[in-house]
Amino acid sequence: MALSDLLLLGRGNDLASERGVSCTGELPAASDPSLVARAVAARKSLGSRALVLGHHYQRDEVIAFADITGDSFKLAQAAADTHEAEFIIFCGVHFMAESADILTSAQQKVILPDLAAGCSMADMATASQVNECWKVLEELGVASKTIPVTYMNSSAAIKSFTGKNGGTICTSSNAKAAMSWALEQGEKILFLPDQHLGRNTAVLSLGLSLDDCVLWNPWKPMGGLTQEEIRHAKIILWRGHCSVHGRFTLDNVQAVRAAIPGVQVLVHPECQHEVVSVADVVGSTEMIIRTVDASPTGSKWAIGTELNLVQRLAKKHPDKEIVFLDKTVCYCSTMNRIDLPHLVWVMESLVNNHLVNQIQVDSEVAQYSRLALTRMLAL
Ligand code: 13P
Ligand code: SF4
């Protein structure tokens, strides 16, 4: 394993120091009684110079200041369609801010309020590991028939690899369209980095079988697969997962169904295949919200996704019974790093003409990533 891979493994915990920028000591105290008033004042003074984007997993105190809330697809579209704002303040995680930087013009600056807001799943596929995998596929003579389909939850370097090799990005709301498109372009898919979204979409949406899928383990020679397995597979799934969604189990589903008669189980496709297979409804964060919003009074939902979103839905719909699918509390710790003090800090800094926490993707990486992202937006 390369030293750079070892270093990247710890990246989710240490993005701030790695990128050399810190706001330690400059952050307003979370206990500052004037924090909300400071946020309102800074937001007002930035006016249309700034656009605040908020992913659905953000805390309520941050969502309160978002001009647009959405899933990762909707926020990528919003960034691409934003031409007026000089600053895009991205309240989400690092890969989302990178994608926004790639999709906005050179004059626009994308800001991530806390640079340590990474994504452990995105860190599970490094550029050197993916290049090594592709080399094996080339040596076996199958790379030319393989189309990379890369989940939005990936670094810009992996998106760039995808664009260079004729592939597309997907999100949880368009994975089916992206994989169908890829199978029209080639015979196989290399799906990065979330094995669960890839497997769930292949089997439950495209009607492929579990035997059509193999799992590439980046820590083993040849991904831990035989030449025959690689040649035979239709879908090569990367061995990555989300630690938040990976917690939901079949036991959770059975327990909630026993405890709440008539409950419907609604989960994100990053959950394990055995959970998604028995759920009543499966969808992206935006789809989860639409489904609950459209359901009649008295509906009962057990939701398997990040807790901030589930709690917000429960508050919004007191006429419905909404519970978290797991018994134990589970926030996405990196999404949660962005709080009101960080948002106030970046907004006040911008008001004072001090640009902080800008996310800038290298121009060559951005060029090929844009190709892959644009393919997705056109699907
Ligand atoms: P969405 O694409 O549904 O917003 O999901 C993003 C994400 O990070 C889920 O863990
Ligand atoms: Fe990454 Fe999972 Fe958090 Fe989504 S919920 S940002 S996939 S760690």
Side-chain angles (χ1 to χ4, degrees):
M1 191 198 321
L3 177 64
S4 57
D5 290 345
L6 281 168
L7 292 173
L8 275 163
L9 267 181
R11 206 176 76 163
N13 298 327
D14 204 21
L15 281 169
S17 55
E18 184 188 319
R19 294 191 172 97
V21 184
S22 167
C23 52
T24 314
E26 302 165 25
L27 274 186
S31 57
D32 179 349
S34 63
L35 205 54
V36 173
R38 284 172 66 174
V40 171
R43 182 67 196 92
K44 194 164 168 225
S45 123
L46 286 170
S48 60
R49 291 178 70 204
L51 179 77
V52 181
L53 300 179
H55 186 268
H56 292 309
Y57 292 165
Q58 292 289 296
R59 298 160 180 261
D60 286 354
E61 67 198 37
V62 170
I63 288 291
F65 288 93
D67 299 306
I68 300 177
T69 58
D71 62 6
S72 52
F73 180 70
K74 185 174 162 194
L75 295 179
Q77 261 180 332
D81 293 344
T82 299
H83 306 292
E84 197 195 339
E86 196 182 329
F87 307 115
I88 317 291
I89 301 175
F90 209 118
C91 299
V93 287
H94 191 264
F95 69 79
M96 297 179 180
E98 274 189 334
S99 300
D101 180 53
I102 292 162
L103 292 168
T104 48
S105 72
Q107 293 74 40
Q108 294 174 299
K109 319 273 183 243
V110 176
I111 290 138
L112 182 65
D114 185 340
L115 294 180
C119 164
S120 52
M121 177 204 285
D123 292 344
M124 287 176 193
T126 67
S128 64
Q129 288 174 330
V130 173
N131 286 333
E132 240 169 72
C133 166
W134 197 249
K135 219 167 88 195
V136 171
L137 301 188
E138 280 173 340
E139 280 160 11
L140 292 180
V142 297
S144 56
K145 318 175 207 174
T146 304
I147 307 296
V149 176
T150 296
Y151 191 24
M152 184 68 118
N153 300 29
S154 56
S155 68
I158 307 298
K159 290 187 177 74
S160 174
F161 158 87
T162 307
K164 249 186 206 159
N165 291 291
T168 182
I169 306 305
C170 75
T171 69
S172 52
S173 57
N174 59 22
K176 181 183 176 190
M179 288 178 85
S180 304
W181 172 86
L183 288 175
E184 283 161 18
Q185 318 301 309
E187 292 172 19
K188 284 181 197 299
I189 290 175
L190 171 62
F191 194 93
L192 300 152
D194 184 16
Q195 57 169 302
H196 299 303
L197 178 65
R199 186 181 294 110
N200 289 329
T201 310
V203 176
L204 301 171
S205 305
L206 297 182
L208 296 176
S209 76
L210 285 172
D211 288 342
D212 290 320
C213 308
V214 291
L215 192 60
W216 180 277
N217 182 343
W219 302 106
K220 291 195 173 164
M222 285 242 321
L225 298 168
T226 63
Q227 293 192 11
E228 210 33 52
E229 284 171 325
I230 295 172
R231 286 211 171 88
H232 185 255
K234 256 192 134 35
I235 315 288
I236 302 169
L237 301 167
W238 193 264
R239 193 167 175 264
H241 68 277
C242 165
S243 43
V244 177
H245 291 92
R247 293 171 59 100
F248 301 112
T249 62
L250 195 53
D251 280 353
N252 292 155
V253 176
Q254 286 161 350
V256 83
R257 283 189 173 142
I260 310 177
V263 74
Q264 295 188 76
V265 174
L266 171 52
V267 300
H268 195 278
E270 285 176 15
C271 293
Q272 300 178 59
H273 186 61
E274 58 180 16
V275 172
V276 173
S277 303
V278 298
D280 297 290
V281 189
V282 182
S284 75
T285 52
E286 192 72 22
M287 198 267 208
I288 289 173
I289 295 170
R290 277 202 311 267
T291 304
V292 175
D293 285 352
S295 66
T297 293
S299 306
K300 300 170 188 180
W301 294 103
I303 306 183
T305 195
E306 208 269 346
L307 189 53
N308 276 311
L309 173 55
V310 180
Q311 285 175 328
R312 199 151 45 241
L313 280 170
K315 254 188 251 164
K316 184 176 170 193
H317 296 282
D319 60 322
K320 300 170 194 174
E321 186 171 347
I322 295 172
V323 297
F324 190 56
L325 181 56
D326 195 359
K327 282 197 196 76
T328 49
V329 169
C330 192
Y331 293 100
C332 170
S333 59
T334 47
M335 281 276 183
N336 246 9
R337 291 194 70 99
I338 300 193
D339 55 9
L340 196 54
H342 282 87
L343 183 56
V344 168
W345 174 68
V346 294
M347 289 197 298
E348 288 183 346
S349 301
L350 293 175
V351 170
N352 295 319
N353 295 318
H354 180 37
L355 180 62
V356 291
N357 284 17
Q358 185 185 0
I359 300 298
Q360 262 181 310
V361 177
D362 165 86
S363 61
E364 199 196 327
V365 171
Q367 180 194 338
Y368 288 106
S369 306
R370 193 174 302 113
L371 195 64
L373 280 162
T374 312
R375 278 192 192 118
M376 173 188 80
L377 293 173
L379 281 173

